[in-house]
Amino acid sequence: MRETPLSNCEREFIRKALGERKRLDGRQAYDYRTLKIAFGYDRGCCRVDLGQTRVLAQVSCEITSPKQQRPSDGVLFVNVELSPMASPVFEVGRMSDQGVEINRILERCLKESRCVDTESLCIIAGEKVWQIRVDVHVMNHDGNLIDCSSIAAITALAHFRRPDVTVDGTDVIVHTIEEKDPLPLSVHHMPICVSFSFYEQGKFLLVDPSDKEEKVMDGKMVIGMNKHREICSLQVTGQMLLLKDQVLRCSNIAVVKVTEITEWIQKALENDRQARSNGERFGFREAVVMDTVTTNQMNPEKLK
Amino acid sequence: MVDIRVVGARDRQKQEFTEEISNLVCPGDVITTDTGFMRGHGTYMEDEKLHASVAGVVERVNKLICVKPLKTRYNGEVGDVVIGRIIEVGQKRWKVDTRSKLDSILMLSSVNLPGGELRRRSEEDEKMMRNYLKEGDLISAEVQSVFSDGALSLHTRSLKYGKLAQGTIIQVSPSLIKRRKTHFHTLPCGATIILGNNGSVWISATMNEETEQTGGYEQDLEPVSKGDREVIARLRNCVIALSEHQMMLYDTSVLYSYEESLRFNVKDILKPEIMTEIIENTQPRLESLGT
Amino acid sequence: MAGVNLLSDQGYRIDGRKPNELRRIQCKLGVFKQADGSAYIEQGNTKVLATVYGPHEIRGSRAKLLLDRVLVNCQYSMATFSTGERKRRPRGDRKSQEMTMHLKQTFDAAIMTNLYPRSQIDIFVEVLQSDGGNYCASVNAATLALIDAGIPMKDFVCACSASFVNDNPIADINYLEESSGGPELIVATLPKSDQIVFLEQNSRLHEDNLSKVIDLAVKSCKDVYTVLDQTVRDHVSELSNSHGWDH
């Protein structure tokens, strides 16, 4: 479906408000929206909410033959699906430009930064390796899909457990969960993408733009960083001209944000780990809040 | 026999020029910091300074500064003769491709109806539009006016304009066509040449006088004789030779280069060395004319 | 690939260059007669061809028509023989689509788009031989082609890549240096004002070193600009001399 353009008065209003350092939802310029992380029953399933934007990531693994150039490395495959469920603008089938952009940014951030140790995924060099596949599905689009997807992807990778394998000569035995405990992936570091949107040719910048703010922006910068202050990927897009100190200022802000978010992720992982080990209930069902009122009328069935 | 050459063996004769053109600019160069000038094409103002936006030569006419680039798409002016191809038949108008920035428009009210009648255009005429001109037809027309977005409005109200048939068309850069009083030339060698301002050059055999005044819609599809065809082919190659050497195209230059080329076979004219020889012989003749 | 020493003790790289030295650039304008503008550039072993058509009427979907600006349509394509192993899909795969988008954004910012509303400018880039710095050579070639076509731009757009090896920033990396796993920073600037039009960075680079690497990349863009500027001036002089320019 064709995108409904933003009306001129809305555009003017948002621009003017930004001029007075005010955002539509009352946040400060460098504030993130509420971040909620929930894990599913299966290992490697993670749902991330950033305000109203919701993204689901699932990690799965499979044994395949390795690439020709790298016979002793496993394969990491990242795929982001923009389904029409998230927004009527997204269409099934051919990936739009926005889809390609998100896919490439996430690919560069996760694969080329080598956050997951691929050498440990090797079973028999040259013949059998693990292929780890991260599928990210966008369920609701309210701006800033990149940040949300990257948080979901890396959290899912940290949450995932792969089956244990023993190599007996040329035979490979994959153990089930009952036989042997599954092993975590060796995640060296957690790269998180932080998005900045620019207005008025770079004079104002916002962190974590919402959908309306994204429609009004001049350009965008995405910085993928981990908590050791290493920049894993950086990309400036849009039709604007930047100066070097603006780029450096953004990277300083990103350092602070990434540290916060990484702490949050670690806390969520810790909570989930405790829940599983203490025998408590875990999974998405527990993440649904049960004491909110969802109807205002009830006709109970009378039992005969 | 096929003529094959190796690219490196081509002798690029670099013309020696004594000094570099002094007022050459490239995009982004500062032309002047004086704010008293008016900005023309090819410039933009930033931070109180006038910058060039194209690569070319700076031209100053009193208070107007503009930069003329080496080549651009055709910019129409009222009164220009253009040659274009019909690409679309629409509501009371045809869309014509004249190799300019936007497609040109030929309104139904700007053409001569066949038979030469002058009457109000009716609905019948709209439905019969395709019988007069359809997609793919080549026409010669004159620019009547320019729309605000830069598109041209054409007309074929004179008998000399209209559908073209049986000839050959060559595309050159519009900057090579010299602006003259008339762009339709009948050369003594037996061919007619139309030098369109948009860079399209049309060469055809000269029609007999009586059959010409039909209002431009009947295409003469009589077979063209071999002699005429050879003349047309030779003229075409001469025009190509002139455009390769960046020489201005007008009736005299085409005629002189045709005369110089008579020594060679028609197909040999396209060989680079023979082209250079013809041009070298033509240039002094043109210069002695004092043009 | 461990074991390849990208920077020797004497400070020389694999191909013998110093850390801040660019590869040899050779370029030519006006290689095709039928296109409105065309250019060919060789940066070291990377060879790229660019052609520009336009501005002309919008072809294809009229839905993309912009009422106040020109539509910039790019296509980035790599010849099947351009890489070491034969490339199965010259265009249409994800990396090419991404490159296409980046080229479009870069030139949307540099061309004066409000001069040609309702029109379209096509930029076609073909990589004939790929040895690192594909995006940079494509941007440089497309800039020359746009200048050849006489399309007004704010300034040249020059692009260069940089990396960081052994505490030294190095400029204009080739394929070997790219694939060794070190960080790669690609920047496209308007050289006169040092404004950054496009910036992309891959692989891990520590934040403290970011400033140095950007500085080197921006400075290298200026060096590329000197070469391109000279080429354009020579080309314009040659053609305007043969024209006569008396009108």
Side-chain angles (χ1 to χ4, degrees), chain A residues 2 68-70 77-80 94-98 100-101 103-105 107-108 112-114 188-189 221 224-226 228-244 247-248 251-252 255, chain C residues 1 62-65 69 85 92-95 97-98 101-102 104-106 108-110 113 154 179 181 183-185 190 193-208 210-212 214-215 218:
Chain A
R2 206 144 170 229
Q68 294 256 339
Q69 299 101 329
R70 291 178 194 268
F77 182 66
V78 181
N79 186 35
V80 178
R94 205 170 173 281
M95 196 168 285
S96 66
D97 278 348
Q98 191 184 15
V100 173
E101 195 189 347
N103 262 291
R104 280 295 301 157
I105 292 182
E107 238 181 70
R108 289 217 310 271
E112 293 176 25
S113 68
R114 305 191 157 274
H188 291 311
H189 61 98
M221 170 165 16
M225 210 191 262
N226 61 25
H228 308 292
R229 296 180 58 216
E230 286 174 330
I231 302 178
C232 304
S233 84
L234 206 169
Q235 186 165 304
V236 171
T237 55
Q239 308 150 15
M240 53 168 187
L241 306 166
L242 279 185
L243 293 168
K244 186 188 126 191
V247 177
L248 293 176
S251 71
N252 288 338
V255 174
Chain C
M1 283 176 263
R62 290 202 76 86
K64 295 205 189 133
L65 192 136
R69 302 200 307 265
E85 261 182 36
D93 60 324
R94 271 193 206 170
K95 282 211 173 119
Q97 271 187 304
E98 197 199 12
M101 277 189 331
H102 290 162
K104 176 181 160 39
Q105 279 161 355
T106 309
D108 254 333
T113 48
K154 294 200 183 85
S179 48
E184 178 195 357
L185 185 90
L190 303 183
S193 46
D194 274 343
Q195 285 174 309
I196 299 177
V197 187
F198 176 80
L199 182 65
E200 183 186 294
Q201 194 248 312
N202 300 324
S203 227
R204 277 183 289 177
L205 174 69
H206 199 271
E207 201 220 343
D208 295 335
L210 184 64
S211 176
K212 276 189 280 186
I214 294 185
D215 273 337
V218 171

Side-chain angles (χ1 to χ4, degrees), chain B residues 44-58:
Chain B
Y44 69 98
M45 182 75 101
E46 198 174 302
D47 294 338
E48 303 287 314
K49 286 189 267 204
L50 197 63
H51 296 259
S53 58
V54 286
V57 180
V58 177

Side-chain angles (χ1 to χ4, degrees), chain B residues 55 69-72, chain C residues 28-32 35-39 52 142-151 232 235 239:
Chain B
L70 278 181
K71 53 171 150 153
T72 42
Chain C
K28 190 159 175 258
L29 280 102
V31 288
F32 289 137
D36 288 317
S38 55
V52 166
T143 302
L144 290 175
L146 284 166
I147 294 179
D148 188 38
I151 293 179
V232 172
H235 178 81
L239 279 189

Side-chain angles (χ1 to χ4, degrees), chain B residues 95-229:
Chain B
K95 278 247 163 106
V96 185
D97 170 29
T98 52
R99 292 176 72 231
S100 47
K101 295 188 180 124
L102 287 171
D103 288 337
S104 309
I105 300 194
L106 178 63
M107 307 288 294
L108 178 57
S109 49
S110 313
V111 304
N112 280 337
L113 289 174
E117 316 145 37
L118 294 172
R119 56 178 167 80
R120 220 186 155 81
R121 307 297 192 247
S122 66
E123 243 194 72
E124 283 296 309
D125 290 315
E126 265 187 75
K127 292 181 193 156
M128 303 290 273
M129 273 175 82
R130 200 154 259 154
N131 291 5
Y132 312 152
L133 291 171
K134 59 183 202 295
E135 290 91 339
D137 285 340
L138 207 59
I139 59 164
S140 67
E142 188 180 315
V143 178
Q144 185 175 42
S145 64
V146 181
F147 289 114
S148 55
D149 59 1
L152 305 174
S153 178
L154 308 174
H155 77 88
T156 55
R157 277 254 179 225
S158 167
L159 291 172
K160 58 181 179 176
Y161 302 122
K163 213 181 337 193
L164 299 171
Q166 304 249 66
T168 180
I169 190 169
I170 311 153
Q171 316 275 23
V172 303
S173 169
S175 48
L176 293 177
I177 309 278
K178 200 163 184 165
R179 280 242 154 90
R180 298 287 229 166
K181 275 199 261 214
T182 168
H183 287 259
F184 290 76
H185 305 284
T186 318
L187 299 176
C189 39
T192 317
I193 186 168
I194 307 180
L195 295 161
N197 287 87
N198 63 334
S200 302
V201 177
W202 170 260
I203 307 174
S204 60
T206 311
M207 300 279 122
N208 293 328
E209 284 303 311
E210 316 91 63
T211 55
E212 208 179 302
Q213 316 291 327
T214 45
Y217 285 111
E218 283 172 26
Q219 285 179 310
D220 185 13
L221 293 172
E222 292 275 320
V224 181
S225 68
K226 181 153 188 270
D228 280 341
R229 281 178 200 260

Side-chain angles (χ1 to χ4, degrees), chain C:
Chain C
M1 283 176 263
V4 177
N5 206 5
L6 291 175
L7 195 63
S8 76
D9 301 319
Q10 292 92 25
Y12 288 106
R13 290 149 74 172
I14 303 179
D15 45 10
R17 286 184 283 154
K18 288 261 171 63
N20 56 354
E21 212 179 305
L22 298 176
R23 293 178 286 184
R24 189 164 82 133
I25 299 180
Q26 283 179 308
C27 45
K28 190 159 175 258
L29 280 102
V31 288
F32 289 137
K33 289 280 167 352
Q34 90 183 51
D36 288 317
S38 55
Y40 172 71
I41 196 168
E42 277 182 28
Q43 258 183 268
N45 283 332
T46 303
K47 300 180 169 54
V48 175
L49 201 54
T51 49
V52 166
Y53 287 87
H56 59 77
E57 186 85 24
I58 294 233
R59 309 252 181 259
S61 63
R62 290 202 76 86
K64 295 205 189 133
L65 192 136
L66 294 168
L67 295 171
D68 57 339
R69 302 200 307 265
V70 76
L71 175 73
V72 177
N73 175 40
C74 287
Q75 191 184 289
Y76 171 85
S77 155
M78 293 183 72
T80 45
F81 46 81
S82 60
T83 46
E85 261 182 36
R86 188 184 167 86
K87 224 176 168 352
R88 263 194 240 127
R89 276 185 89 181
R91 63 194 81 91
D93 60 324
R94 271 193 206 170
K95 282 211 173 119
S96 301
Q97 271 187 304
E98 197 199 12
M99 279 284 204
T100 307
M101 277 189 331
H102 290 162
L103 281 172
K104 176 181 160 39
Q105 279 161 355
T106 309
F107 286 105
D108 254 333
I111 298 177
M112 314 198 76
T113 48
N114 48 349
L115 290 177
Y116 303 119
R118 303 162 162 270
S119 314
Q120 181 181 334
I121 295 180
D122 295 321
I123 305 178
F124 298 116
V125 174
E126 183 87 21
V127 178
L128 298 174
Q129 192 172 307
S130 155
D131 184 35
N134 288 343
Y135 173 81
C136 306
S138 308
V139 165
N140 296 334
T143 302
L144 290 175
L146 284 166
I147 294 179
D148 188 38
I151 293 179
M153 297 204 287
K154 294 200 183 85
D155 194 355
F156 279 70
V157 185
C158 298
C160 195
S161 55
S163 183
F164 196 76
V165 168
N166 297 352
D167 293 332
N168 274 324
I170 54 177
D172 197 9
I173 49 185
N174 59 22
Y175 181 71
L176 209 57
E177 290 162 342
E178 244 177 48
S179 48
S180 64
E184 178 195 357
L185 185 90
I186 302 175
V187 80
T189 62
L190 303 183
K192 294 213 179 60
S193 46
D194 274 343
Q195 285 174 309
I196 299 177
V197 187
F198 176 80
L199 182 65
E200 183 186 294
Q201 194 248 312
N202 300 324
S203 227
R204 277 183 289 177
L205 174 69
H206 199 271
E207 201 220 343
D208 295 335
N209 303 324
L210 184 64
S211 176
K212 276 189 280 186
V213 181
I214 294 185
D215 273 337
L216 180 63
V218 171
K219 183 185 159 305
S220 310
C221 286
K222 273 209 155 86
D223 296 335
V224 173
Y225 165 68
T226 349
V227 179
L228 297 185
D229 186 52
Q230 191 55 46
T231 312
V232 172
R233 277 179 205 274
D234 289 341
H235 178 81
V236 176
S237 305
E238 193 185 325
L239 279 189
S240 52
N241 264 312
S242 48
H243 255 254
W245 280 123
D246 48 73
H247 48 85

